[in-house]
Amino acid sequence: MSSPVLVSLVLFTEPTWADGDVRNEIIRLLGALALLTCIAGRCWAALHIGGQKNQQLITSGPYARTRNPLYFFSTVGLAGVGLAVGSITLGAVFFCFSYLVFSYVIEREERTLEQFFAGEYRAYALIVPRFFPSLSAILVEPQTTDQAVYKPHALRTTFCHALLFLLPIPLYNVLQYLHGNGIITPLVKLY
């Protein structure tokens, strides 16, 4: 499945429940929450990595909970895009698609991190989950001696990139207009 297929899913489908239906509103609210979680999580990860990628192994903050917080939060955001248009199905499809893509990217990046940080990375990989944070890692603040180096530029850049995840909200309004005026005809209703 590729990006054009995902775009087609958005263009030629519509939610089963119409605007104003409480189920549609709840799904869209969950989508908005996922998008905000994505933005906040990506900024949190950017604060901790602070432009030090491949210079130092970062194991604090979100990197103490998952080895790939930027990818994890991006996946949450992409699921949020699907939910924000009122579709649980699109949320699940976007989540699965991004998870598969990021899994491939993560495997490649792990080989590079092994080369840069060898035993230190292997020890880190044994205790911190690859993608999904463990519940205990979320609830308990990990003990760390790492000193975080914050770089405002890295945070600003990540914040601006993360704001792109909000773009589907106004685009959905355009899509509703196109559907409502018969310019694009939805072919399938999705839950």
Side-chain angles (χ1 to χ4, degrees), residues 16-92:
T16 298
W17 300 297
D19 279 345
D21 186 308
V22 70
R23 294 168 290 195
N24 181 284
E25 299 306 317
I26 290 170
I27 293 166
R28 292 188 66 205
L29 177 63
L30 290 173
L33 290 173
L35 291 168
L36 293 175
T37 299
C38 167
I39 292 168
R42 288 184 54 84
C43 288
W44 182 34
L47 274 172
H48 279 272
I49 203 159
Q52 300 175 71
K53 188 174 181 177
N54 297 336
Q55 297 172 12
Q56 177 182 350
L57 185 62
I58 307 300
T59 60
S60 62
Y63 293 89
R65 291 155 174 83
T66 170
R67 297 192 312 261
N68 296 283
L70 286 167
Y71 296 146
F72 172 75
F73 286 114
S74 293
T75 299
V76 169
L78 289 168
V81 169
L83 294 171
V85 299
S87 173
I88 295 170
T89 303
L90 285 181

Side-chain angles (χ1 to χ4, degrees), residues 7-188:
V7 170
S8 295
L9 279 173
V10 172
L11 289 176
F12 299 106
T13 64
E14 65 181 351
T16 298
W17 300 297
D19 279 345
D21 186 308
V22 70
R23 294 168 290 195
N24 181 284
E25 299 306 317
I26 290 170
I27 293 166
R28 292 188 66 205
L29 177 63
L30 290 173
L33 290 173
L35 291 168
L36 293 175
T37 299
C38 167
I39 292 168
R42 288 184 54 84
C43 288
W44 182 34
L47 274 172
H48 279 272
I49 203 159
Q52 300 175 71
K53 188 174 181 177
N54 297 336
Q55 297 172 12
Q56 177 182 350
L57 185 62
I58 307 300
T59 60
S60 62
Y63 293 89
R65 291 155 174 83
T66 170
R67 297 192 312 261
N68 296 283
L70 286 167
Y71 296 146
F72 172 75
F73 286 114
S74 293
T75 299
V76 169
L78 289 168
V81 169
L83 294 171
V85 299
S87 173
I88 295 170
T89 303
L90 285 181
V93 167
F94 285 14
F95 183 89
C96 292
F97 176 77
S98 59
Y99 175 75
L100 291 173
V101 169
F102 288 137
S103 293
Y104 172 75
V105 172
I106 288 168
E107 283 184 35
R108 296 183 62 162
E109 287 182 355
E110 284 179 336
R111 289 192 287 269
T112 301
L113 289 168
E114 280 246 3
Q115 290 174 338
F116 284 161
F117 304 111
E120 184 183 5
Y121 180 76
R122 283 191 293 278
Y124 169 64
L126 286 173
I127 57 172
V128 177
R130 173 189 261 180
F131 191 80
F132 294 103
S134 67
L135 185 57
S136 63
I138 293 170
L139 298 176
V140 177
E141 181 63 34
Q143 298 298 317
T144 180
T145 57
D146 290 351
Q147 189 100 28
V149 176
Y150 301 116
K151 294 191 177 182
H153 175 71
L155 176 61
R156 189 172 38 255
T157 300
T158 300
F159 180 72
C160 290
H161 290 161
L163 285 178
L164 292 174
F165 282 92
L166 293 178
L167 191 56
I169 294 171
L171 290 177
Y172 177 68
N173 292 328
V174 171
L175 183 62
Q176 282 183 308
Y177 173 82
L178 296 172
H179 285 177
N181 289 298
I183 298 168
I184 296 177
T185 304
L187 303 174
V188 178

